[in-house]
Amino acid sequence: MTGTTLPVGASAATTSWEELVTSALLGTDRRTPPADVMASGQDAPVALLDAAALHTLRRRAGLLPARAAALPEPAPEDHRRELPEPARRRLSQLLADRSAPAGTGGRRGTTPDLTELLPQWLTAANDHGYRAPAASLPALLDAARGRNDLRPHALAFAGPRGLWLARFNPDWKFALRGASGGAVLPGVQDSDAVRQLWEQGLFAERVALLAAVRARDANAARALLGTTWPTERAEDRLMFLDSLRAGLSDLDEPFLEEALSDRSRNVRATAAELLSALPNSALAARMAARAATCVSLDRAGGPTGPTVIVEAPHECDADMQRDGVSPTPPSGRGERSWWLGQLVEASPLSIWPERLGGHTPEEIVTLPVLDDWTDELHAAWCRAAVRQRDARWARALLGPPAVSPAAGPGASSLAERAKLLGTLPVAERASWVAEFIAAHGLSEAFQLLGVCAVPWSGPLGRAVVDALDIARDGGSYPWSFSGVMGLAERCLDPAEAPHLEILTATPDEAEGASPGAGGYWSEAFQRLVSTLRLRAAMMSELAGAPGPQAPDERSSPAQAPAPVDTTPAED
Amino acid sequence: MGPPNVLDMDNAGVRWTTEQVLALAPDDASRKAGARLSAAGPWSDAGSSGEGAVWGLCKGSGKKPYQTVIDTKGPAYRCSCPSRKFPCKHALGLLLLWAGEGTSAVRTVVDVGDGPAPDWAEEWLGGRRKRSGEQEERAKAEAGGAAGQADPEGARRRAERRAARITGGAQELEQRLTDLLRGGLAAAEQSGYGLWEETAARMVDAQAPGLAGRVRELGAIPGSGAGWPVRLLEESALLHLLDQGWLGIDRLPAPLATTVRTRVGLPSPADGPPVKDHWLVLAQYDTSDGKITTRRIWLYGRESGRTALVLGFGAAGRSPQPALPVGLVIEAELTPHAGAGQLRADLGAEVDVPEPTGTPPPGGTTTAAVEAYGSALREDPWLDSWPVTLTGVIPVPDGGDGGGWQLADADGKSALPIAPAALSRPGLWKLVALSGGGPVTVFGECGHRGFTPLAVWSAGSSETVQLT
């Protein structure tokens, strides 16, 4: 109640307000109002109401301001540039649309899905170094609260004032918990402050600190970690160990080697995995020796020439287990093939040409393998190529894009292919996927497109559009391709829009086509074109340049990078 | 290579901003739907005229596109879609498109450029022009002489009959109030809401909607948390005061008598001398009692220095009229309503195309704000709040009793608590964000429940950011 926060003005009346309230609460029959109130000669209730009206008005008319509570710390200055006016308007539109239901599949109309464009907008705004308009901060924080994938970019854009604001609203606690609470990190050269925060900080602060120190001086970070390592809890050790992934080098080997004897199985497994990504490590050499005994080449071979012979390990001894080999296979898998997969995966790929008759990786993946071990062996090589980021092996294992996935070497699953693609240079990735789509259509392209740089290169974009056009002519409904359509809306180079215009017309119904499909396709292409136009507008508004500009050359992956903060949205 | 921007250059005013357009939306769903239509694709044959008309064809799910026309001077809308929302999503989308183009360097979709209106749009626009001309004629005719009164004798008799009914209602209400006080407020907690509903219905029968509304509010107080007996006594006493005011209305000075009539629920006459001015639209917000949506628009006259309240009412499902773009200055004539301490005014038909934003109205300290409310009570004791502008105030989280916010003078001494109802609104966070812990100018309603912020200007900016 505000009656107490706004103090009562000086009262001239003799009767106190409290007496009136008491009398009213109990009833005038039980508690006669004070004598001076009754002096008017009225009935008790009327006299009481008269007096109360007088008091109420006197109280309200005599209100004084309350004493101010302590003023808040002012928000830190944000020196980034102010958004251009059109971009500011665009942001309020994107944020206003944010809680609209996202159309997945089905009919989505011809209008762009603004929610899906917010991540792009934020990335671009951050690249340009703009400051978030203060009035949009609440909506921005609300959007970030609901969507984990938005958080890193939204919080970076919200900047110091966003963090300042988030302190006051419990709904926005997530903003303070995130690693980007970086505002409070001491300078990494300030070794005393670093040590103090490391020893006394909250877990999130310590993770952020370790990452910051690691980014600047890998050895210092390892040394810092070493000071408290034995006393950390197992799950914390796991997270800290994981932070060594960034800037992993041979210098980390002794520390990791020691962690192979850790009490926690997860810590041991992570240490082994990190060591196996270091081809010069002792662990890699031990794994190589084990793997080499299992895989060999029969030069004479069968009718098709030299053949690879696989002799899977017969046991998983204590040394193997110490090196991270998990002894128990998941149900449904034989334990010997399980062990073999792990050995090959953790061995440096560089051992195989020498081990298998001097063949190149390209030749090795085409060698026949005895006794149906092909899938097992190739899958392990795929994992090794991804882990060791070996583009040559990845290329060999992917095979030519035009070859049917079923006929190609090992990488059968689309997820694995996408991972292998990730190790290739950006341009090569795009042209590989373009050729793949040209040969096989779109039905299996979604995951592969996801690892391509945005905006899509010319050939890749054209391949996708051609494939969509073919799918339309084939008479199917557009929502069978809604995933790729959605990706195309977000990733296609906006400069392609004029070439797509022709596809927005509703074609005559072809023989054998699904009824009405033509209209739906035209709708889908209209949405695609208008989304591209909108993206071009968004980008040029942010560039502050008159007229659409050439698409910029940034190469962010189509799907937002893994969020820094992986805590689930709380709603 | 922007689109032809005739509206910017010629006699007509500026295009509105996105926020101003979105503020016209009747509800959240329309706001979102409108934003979706603001981008591209569906529009064709769109255009605008130098006189503030905007039109376009929007492709919907049907074969025939919807015809949407907006007269931004009203603003008034027409659309061939079946929506009952007002303005509909098509009108909002088209306005957004038009607003966005004003400064956007890119031709996003269609060119809402200048040109003659197509026939289907002109038909409506011409009709509007004609009607507004006729209205002016009629207004002139009425001003010319009260001869328009068809049956003055009959009207007088009707008014007397109604006054007699209200008097009956007021007497009955007095009886209920004295019964309440005799038996004690504690008993009111047990009797619950039903008794009050019944009394409110009796007041409706007595044709005193003002009394009915206050009775219903009394009924809600026992369930309103700690301190309810104090609030119930305060409001009962003020209702008693209103009853007494009506029963003794002959003895009151004329302006106060008019205020009492208005508070009881009789229509208040808008018969003050018209004020022509450049009015800054400070705030616009709607409240609903379930049946009727009431729109309140606060205006500040640049030259006259007056603050005025324009009310609009809409039945369920329809957005009240008028709708004015917050933050812009409109040139218009307002006709004040009669009565002591009343700020209500009617908006004249002639509203010129909005002009660019001006500076915030002159304001004062928190002390000046409560003083202004205090002196306004002398004119109208039933005022819950009074419009004020606070300059150089800082939003402060209340360290004391938890959760509350204040607006403190920049010297950190005095502060006004933010009204509890405003604490749960998103506008509060906009206010805090804009301040960044520094002083801002805030317009709002200051009353005995605290301060309700409605608009804010950050330091050194003339842009009005609405908090409703």
Side-chain angles (χ1 to χ4, degrees):
Chain A
M1 61 168 274
T2 50
T4 55
T5 41
L6 289 178
V8 181
S11 167
T14 45
T15 308
S16 79
W17 174 245
E18 281 68 28
E19 284 177 77
L20 292 180
V21 174
T22 309
S23 179
L25 200 54
L26 299 174
T28 51
D29 283 355
R30 254 161 290 182
R31 175 76 60 100
T32 313
D36 60 328
V37 169
M38 297 302 292
S40 64
Q42 300 259 29
D43 253 10
V46 177
L48 177 58
L49 282 169
D50 280 343
L54 192 64
H55 263 270
T56 302
L57 279 173
R58 192 180 286 135
R59 273 158 58 88
R60 289 186 181 177
L63 286 176
L64 292 174
R67 225 189 29 219
L71 295 182
E73 279 287 301
E77 284 286 319
D78 191 337
H79 296 289
R80 291 178 295 175
R81 291 190 285 160
E82 198 172 332
L83 269 182
E85 182 54 30
R88 208 174 71 134
R89 272 205 301 274
R90 185 70 63 193
L91 175 65
S92 24
Q93 269 184 31
L94 296 181
L95 287 172
D97 193 56
R98 108 192 103 81
S99 42
T104 50
R107 199 172 166 197
R108 294 164 59 210
T110 59
T111 52
D113 194 343
L114 298 183
T115 323
E116 289 303 325
L117 298 180
L118 190 53
Q120 259 181 34
W121 191 96
L122 289 172
T123 312
N126 285 332
D127 287 353
H128 282 290
Y130 287 121
R131 160 163 51 104
S136 70
L137 289 175
L140 197 58
L141 289 169
D142 280 342
R145 177 181 181 225
R147 277 180 66 177
N148 269 330
D149 63 322
L150 271 183
R151 279 189 189 176
H153 292 129
L155 290 180
F157 185 54
R161 186 173 285 211
L163 275 184
W164 175 88
L165 183 64
R167 286 191 306 159
F168 299 112
N169 188 340
D171 284 352
W172 298 332
K173 256 197 210 136
F174 69 87
L176 311 175
R177 218 172 33 225
S180 54
V184 297
L185 289 184
V188 288
Q189 293 101 321
D190 184 351
S191 53
D192 285 344
V194 165
R195 177 161 287 261
Q196 190 183 355
L197 184 64
W198 177 250
E199 281 163 6
Q200 295 165 16
L202 302 170
F203 177 66
E205 290 170 337
R206 300 181 70 207
V207 170
L209 179 71
L210 189 63
V213 176
R214 176 85 178 169
R216 196 183 160 82
D217 180 351
N219 297 328
R222 208 175 45 247
L224 189 64
L225 186 52
T227 57
T228 55
W229 181 253
T231 59
E232 303 286 354
R233 295 183 314 156
E235 56 263 46
D236 293 359
R237 287 202 303 277
L238 187 62
M239 284 296 285
F240 291 140
L241 197 60
D242 214 49
S243 71
L244 297 186
R245 219 175 270 280
L248 186 68
S249 79
D250 288 344
L251 290 171
D252 296 317
E253 192 190 346
F255 186 87
L256 292 170
E257 188 70 38
E258 207 163 303
L260 284 177
S261 317
D262 197 272
R263 297 187 299 279
S264 153
R265 193 167 57 84
N266 286 333
V267 171
R268 291 196 304 268
T270 303
E273 190 207 325
L274 289 173
L275 281 169
S276 70
L278 294 172
N280 300 323
S281 68
L283 176 129
R286 292 196 293 273
M287 294 304 255
R290 290 183 188 115
T293 62
C294 300
V295 183
S296 58
L297 188 72
D298 178 357
R299 282 167 202 278
T304 50
T307 304
V308 178
I309 298 169
V310 174
E311 177 71 23
H314 290 275
E315 59 166 352
C316 183
D317 58 29
D319 285 344
M320 277 167 77
Q321 290 188 37
R322 182 179 183 270
D323 281 349
V325 178
S326 147
T328 331
S331 63
R333 287 198 62 174
E335 53 183 15
R336 288 184 62 201
S337 75
W338 172 244
W339 298 331
L340 172 80
Q342 295 181 78
L343 292 184
V344 174
E345 178 184 353
S347 304
L349 284 160
S350 55
I351 65 165
W352 298 114
E354 190 190 329
R355 175 74 190 151
L356 299 176
H359 290 289
T360 64
E362 292 77 17
E363 291 162 348
I364 289 173
V365 299
T366 57
L367 290 174
V369 182
L370 211 61
D371 296 336
D372 290 338
W373 281 104
T374 317
D375 289 352
E376 207 65 60
L377 186 60
H378 284 185
W381 278 335
C382 284
R383 295 195 297 274
V386 171
R387 187 185 288 190
Q388 295 164 32
R389 308 216 52 85
D390 191 317
R392 182 166 183 198
W393 271 90
R395 205 173 290 130
L397 287 159
L398 277 165
V403 173
S404 151
S412 47
S413 95
L414 285 166
E416 268 174 341
R417 286 172 160 254
K419 281 190 200 155
L420 286 173
L421 274 172
T423 67
L424 300 185
V426 169
E428 190 181 347
R429 233 183 275 171
S431 60
W432 197 96
V433 178
E435 281 181 55
F436 179 88
I437 291 171
H440 310 296
L442 289 170
S443 49
E444 299 195 307
F446 183 78
Q447 269 181 310
L448 305 180
L449 284 168
V451 296
C452 293
V454 177
W456 288 340
S457 70
L460 177 57
R462 276 188 292 282
V464 173
V465 172
D466 286 349
L468 285 170
D469 197 18
I470 291 169
R472 175 177 71 159
D473 290 346
S476 47
Y477 283 114
W479 43 84
S480 318
F481 299 92
S482 60
V484 173
M485 264 293 184
L487 266 185
E489 285 161 18
R490 297 197 291 280
C491 309
L492 207 54
D493 190 331
E496 298 283 341
H499 313 301
L500 291 166
E501 200 74 74
I502 190 164
L503 295 172
T504 59
T506 309
D508 297 328
E509 201 116 305
E511 189 106 356
S514 317
Y520 295 129
W521 274 104
S522 131
E523 211 172 81
F525 277 117
Q526 271 181 41
R527 190 180 57 246
L528 178 57
V529 170
S530 54
T531 310
L532 294 183
R533 292 252 157 89
L534 187 63
R535 280 175 51 213
M538 266 169 38
M539 293 307 157
S540 83
E541 284 160 4
L542 284 168
Q549 51 150 29
D552 52 1
E553 298 299 320
R554 275 173 303 102
S555 57
S556 54
Q559 268 135 6
V564 177
D565 177 6
T566 51
T567 47
E570 66 259 74
D571 269 301
Chain B
M1 42 158 274
N5 247 338
V6 183
L7 280 187
D8 283 359
M9 300 181 291
D10 281 30
N11 47 354
V14 285
R15 296 191 179 203
W16 302 349
T17 69
T18 306
E19 286 82 1
Q20 284 157 352
V21 175
L22 289 174
L24 301 175
D27 53 34
D28 246 23
S30 311
R31 201 166 294 134
K32 278 163 200 154
R36 277 154 173 263
L37 286 172
S38 72
W43 292 100
S44 59
D45 288 341
S48 61
S49 78
E51 281 94 48
V54 188
W55 56 82
L57 294 175
C58 185
K59 192 180 177 322
S61 47
K63 226 185 195 119
K64 203 166 169 319
Y66 296 126
Q67 301 170 337
T68 312
V69 207
I70 300 130
D71 182 352
T72 57
K73 276 208 242 165
Y77 323 88
R78 207 193 71 142
C79 183
S80 59
C81 75
S83 167
R84 284 165 173 277
K85 299 281 181 62
F86 208 74
C88 67
K89 61 181 178 179
H90 305 103
L92 288 171
L94 184 58
L95 275 177
L96 284 170
L97 191 63
W98 170 74
E101 228 172 41
T103 45
S104 172
V106 191
R107 287 176 45 165
T108 22
V109 208
V110 279
D111 176 8
V112 191
D114 189 39
D119 290 347
W120 55 266
E122 184 51 39
E123 197 179 313
W124 179 74
L125 289 167
R128 265 185 69 72
R129 274 196 298 273
K130 191 154 156 264
R131 272 195 304 282
S132 97
E134 279 167 4
Q135 254 171 23
E136 229 168 82
E137 291 291 306
R138 211 179 313 131
K140 271 190 201 136
E142 270 172 33
Q149 281 279 19
D151 178 12
E153 183 56 25
R156 199 180 53 77
R157 272 203 310 274
R158 276 196 301 280
E160 272 174 11
R161 267 205 302 278
R162 180 166 182 189
R165 280 192 173 176
I166 295 178
T167 302
Q171 283 161 346
E172 185 179 341
L173 185 53
E174 275 296 275
Q175 194 58 51
R176 298 261 167 144
L177 286 175
T178 44
D179 288 352
L180 172 71
L181 269 293
R182 191 168 282 126
L185 299 181
E189 199 186 12
Q190 281 115 46
S191 68
Y193 201 73
L195 177 72
W196 297 107
E197 264 305 301
E198 185 207 319
T199 311
R202 299 282 302 150
M203 293 305 115
V204 172
D205 289 348
Q207 291 186 300
L211 295 180
R214 288 188 164 260
V215 170
R216 249 180 244 120
E217 278 166 30
L218 283 190
I221 293 178
S224 67
W228 67 267
V230 170
R231 287 194 294 278
L232 186 54
L233 178 57
E234 284 182 346
E235 295 306 324
S236 301
L238 287 177
L239 185 51
H240 163 71
L241 189 66
L242 185 55
D243 277 338
Q244 294 299 325
W246 173 264
L247 296 173
I249 200 156
D250 297 340
R251 298 194 299 277
L252 296 179
L256 185 57
T258 308
T259 298
V260 168
R261 276 190 208 100
T262 310
R263 291 280 175 195
V264 165
L266 288 170
S268 69
D271 56 4
V275 186
K276 200 173 165 82
D277 204 338
H278 290 85
W279 300 94
L280 170 61
V281 185
L282 294 169
Q284 169 180 313
Y285 66 98
D286 297 345
T287 49
S288 174
D289 69 351
K291 294 194 198 90
I292 304 271
T293 304
T294 305
R295 168 163 296 169
R296 310 167 82 81
I297 305 175
W298 284 112
L299 300 171
Y300 174 76
R302 286 256 167 250
E303 280 96 58
S304 62
R306 279 175 86 122
T307 304
L309 175 67
V310 173
L311 292 182
F313 303 96
R318 271 185 85 86
S319 175
Q321 290 295 306
L324 296 178
V326 171
L328 289 196
V329 176
I330 58 168
E331 190 180 353
E333 202 173 72
L334 292 192
T335 313
H337 282 233
Q342 303 305 301
L343 295 173
R344 189 174 168 197
D346 281 356
L347 189 62
E350 283 294 298
V351 178
D352 219 334
V353 176
E355 286 171 23
T357 324
T359 45
T365 61
T366 55
T367 309
V370 287
E371 277 171 9
Y373 170 62
S375 35
L377 282 175
R378 280 203 306 242
E379 304 281 316
D380 177 358
W382 299 279
L383 276 174
D384 279 326
S385 60
W386 189 250
V388 291
T389 303
L390 301 170
T391 20
V393 285
I394 303 173
V396 179
D398 187 357
D401 46 21
W405 281 77
Q406 297 179 325
L407 280 171
D409 286 330
D411 64 12
K413 286 184 183 139
S414 304
L416 295 177
I418 288 181
L423 286 175
S424 55
R425 291 198 205 129
L428 171 73
W429 295 111
K430 249 192 204 178
L431 171 63
V432 178
L434 248 101
S435 82
V440 287
T441 300
V442 183
F443 169 80
E445 295 167 4
C446 178
H448 59 94
R449 293 195 187 95
F451 185 90
T452 304
L454 296 174
V456 59
W457 296 262
S458 48
S461 162
S462 65
E463 190 197 1
T464 312
V465 177
Q466 60 173 335
L467 302 175
T468 50

